[in-house]
Amino acid sequence: QPVREAFIKLAEVGLVEIRPQRGTFVRLISVREVRNARFLREAIEAAAARKAAAEATPAHVQRLRRIVEEQRAVARDGDNVGFLRLDEMFHQALAAAASCEEAWRVVEGLKAQLDRVRYLSLPDATPLTTIIGQHDEIVDAIESGSPEAAEAAMRYHLSEILISLPKLSVERAEFFAE
């Protein structure tokens, strides 16, 4: 029963396809689904960044800065998995700074396909130092209380995947459906 439930959850997020009487198969990555998930994620997180710039406390800003510093350390060590874990923490902490924890839960449900692309693209896509710089810009805008700048920085940050996706879908075509 637990394995069956796990497969059902994986199917719900689009990672596997269950074919009755035939088996369960890992789905290829859909470029279309990745673009749609990124679009929705951008809409939610840009709004959260805007709200955080108006509502974040100094403690929220300090937490975001601490996470970015940890990202610098793991990037220097070449720990890509640790970097992605901290990236999740950063975006979750930003949602908390905006009092939008439910928004982050929605984003988590959307990003299964995005995460597959993110893991496949490391370390060859966007340099980790670029991502860290973008996180710094987001935090700077939040700390300065500039909703417009925070929203714009988040939108720019979340558009990075659109740069690496076309190249990755050609270089690693065996993982992509279209």
Side-chain angles (χ1 to χ4, degrees), residues 6-19:
F7 278 128
I8 289 169
K9 287 189 185 294
L10 290 170
E12 287 173 358
V13 297
L15 297 178
V16 299
E17 179 181 350
I18 300 171
R19 296 181 192 161

Side-chain angles (χ1 to χ4, degrees), residues 71 75 80 83 121-135 157 160 163-164:
Q71 284 184 308
N80 293 330
F83 184 87
S121 67
L122 284 174
D124 302 323
T126 306
L128 300 183
T129 54
T130 300
I131 295 170
I132 291 167
Q134 292 169 354
H135 284 177
H157 172 60
E160 282 294 331
I163 296 167
S164 61

Side-chain angles (χ1 to χ4, degrees), residues 16-35:
V16 299
E17 179 181 350
I18 300 171
R19 296 181 192 161
Q21 313 299 320
R22 295 187 61 210
T24 300
F25 303 88
V26 175
R27 286 188 60 218
L28 294 174
I29 300 168
S30 164
V31 171
R32 182 175 174 270
E33 287 178 29
V34 170
R35 289 175 193 249

